[in-house]
Amino acid sequence: MNELIAVAAITILAVISPGPDFAMVTRNSYAFGRRAGLITAMGIACGVQVHVLYTVLGISVVITSTPLLFFSMKILGAGYLIFLGIKSLTNKPKLKLETGSKNSPTIFGAFRMGFLTNALNPKTMLFVVATYTQVVNVESSLTSSFAYGLFISISHWMWFSIVAYFFSAKALRRIMLDKQNFVDKSIGTALIGLGLSLVFANIAP
């Protein structure tokens, strides 16, 4: 029970802290509507399972003990965030509340954005690795370990679904779409900044 409470507390604090996932769900929700935001949230939740899988299987030990491999992962994740940020900064089409949903990415496209944003985020990797190594007992069964991973994923899905519902509300969408140029540039700058921070921040594996 103490183990479960510790995992729950750490997960909740980590999930609600702003980061690339929050920026991505916010962007898709206000720009393309609730469905796009919710599918992006589901992609993020599934992306968490990538980190859970290799952590439980022990592959994370190899990643975190090999500086070049860890740095390569940081570069890949940062590059994806910077790419999305540049796309947001250079976004030309002016969306309207009535037509935003029509221009929405496909279900696969929205899911892919959420999935890759989380799966390529080394900070999520460190969060999952730290949770399992510092909190979860080494004697825990595989069933328990994967159950904790499922809890972490569901927590991500629930929180970012709430974010999607909030930012896809018509009144808020109308305000944000009226200021689309400013909002796009703000989110784009945030994504690029987050990407650069992954490269230059002193994240010790």
Side-chain angles (χ1 to χ4, degrees):
M1 182 58 68
N2 289 337
E3 189 175 278
L4 177 60
I5 293 173
V7 170
I10 293 171
T11 299
I12 291 171
L13 291 173
V15 169
I16 64 176
S17 61
D21 296 339
F22 185 88
M24 188 54 54
V25 174
T26 300
R27 171 72 174 88
N28 284 353
S29 298
Y30 104 81
F32 305 116
R34 184 160 295 165
R35 188 185 76 157
L38 290 174
I39 294 172
T40 303
M42 180 59 70
I44 288 169
C46 291
V48 172
Q49 284 302 304
V50 174
H51 303 291
V52 171
L53 183 62
Y54 62 60
T55 298
V56 172
L57 295 179
I59 300 174
S60 61
V61 176
V62 177
I63 295 174
T64 56
S65 62
T66 308
L68 181 59
L69 183 58
F70 183 77
F71 183 72
S72 298
M73 184 175 180
K74 285 172 60 178
I75 294 296
L76 186 61
Y80 182 68
L81 292 178
I82 292 171
F83 167 74
L84 293 175
I86 292 173
K87 283 187 65 176
S88 186
L89 282 176
T90 58
N91 184 42
K92 297 296 183 183
K94 179 69 174 177
L95 297 173
K96 297 182 181 297
L97 187 63
E98 297 75 16
T99 60
S101 297
K102 295 180 181 179
N103 298 317
S104 176
T106 63
I107 291 177
F108 176 73
F111 180 88
R112 180 184 59 198
M113 281 189 276
F115 180 84
L116 291 178
T117 297
N118 190 278
L120 295 176
N121 188 350
K123 287 190 176 180
T124 303
M125 181 199 77
L126 291 177
F127 154 65
V128 173
V129 171
T131 300
Y132 276 89
T133 56
Q134 302 300 320
V135 179
V136 179
N137 194 305
V138 292
E139 297 178 355
S140 296
S141 65
L142 278 177
T143 301
S144 297
S145 294
F146 280 115
Y148 289 137
L150 183 61
F151 171 80
I152 294 172
S153 283
I154 291 175
S155 298
H156 278 74
W157 171 68
M158 290 178 64
W159 169 250
F160 289 113
S161 292
I162 293 172
V163 173
Y165 266 92
F166 179 78
F167 283 101
S168 62
K170 283 190 176 181
L172 184 58
R173 282 190 71 203
R174 192 179 298 279
I175 293 172
M176 295 182 75
L177 288 173
D178 286 342
K179 304 291 185 182
Q180 183 187 343
N181 188 53
F182 172 76
V183 175
D184 279 352
K185 283 181 168 47
S186 297
I187 293 178
T189 301
L191 286 170
I192 292 173
L194 287 167
L196 292 175
S197 71
L198 292 180
V199 177
F200 297 109
N202 184 24
I203 307 176

